[in-house]
Amino acid sequence: MLLYFTKSQVTEKDGEWFYRNIIIVNAVVLIAASFAFYLGRFGIYTTVFLPLALPRLIDFPDRQVTALVPGAALVLFSVYWYVDVSGSSSLNQFHFIFDKTISSGT
């Protein structure tokens, strides 16, 4: 959402404003449908445009900033993922299948 307000390279031919606006629509739909099962599927329809919008939103005139923004987004998402997963009690007892010992049964 914060990338919407940044000054990326403005070109009229690639429909940048369409993608910027669809991100806002996606955020509004997901917030409005956060507690409604039937409305939640509208969020799925608008989330499809996010992979198409992100490359256009991180295209800055300064190439160093363009290189740093995906890395920063990856770090922030990793922190969010770690906090979300570590807060779930059902995932704390996870064990790889390869950690089990195989008994022959005899």
Side-chain angles (χ1 to χ4, degrees), residues 28-98:
V28 168
V29 166
L30 289 178
I31 289 171
S34 61
F35 295 108
F37 176 72
Y38 290 112
L39 294 176
R41 37 181 109 157
F42 290 110
I44 295 170
Y45 302 138
T46 58
T47 304
V48 172
F49 290 100
L50 289 179
L52 298 172
L54 287 177
R56 289 176 174 87
L57 292 179
I58 62 172
D59 189 21
F60 294 100
D62 185 7
R63 291 293 142 199
Q64 290 179 345
V65 174
T66 303
L68 289 176
V69 169
L74 183 64
V75 168
L76 289 174
F77 180 74
S78 300
V79 168
Y80 167 75
W81 178 81
Y82 178 76
V83 169
D84 189 40
V85 168
S86 65
S88 175
S89 63
S90 63
L91 295 176
N92 290 339
Q93 301 299 323
F94 176 78
H95 295 285
F96 282 107
I97 192 168
F98 301 113

Side-chain angles (χ1 to χ4, degrees), residues 16-30:
E16 176 185 342
W17 289 106
F18 169 76
Y19 292 108
R20 287 180 179 242
N21 291 333
I22 203 71
I23 287 175
I24 295 298
V25 168
N26 182 36
V28 168
V29 166
L30 289 178

Side-chain angles (χ1 to χ4, degrees), residues 3-22:
L3 290 175
Y4 178 84
F5 298 107
T6 61
K7 293 183 179 182
S8 60
Q9 290 183 355
V10 178
T11 58
E12 295 296 327
K13 63 181 177 181
D14 65 353
E16 176 185 342
W17 289 106
F18 169 76
Y19 292 108
R20 287 180 179 242
N21 291 333
I22 203 71

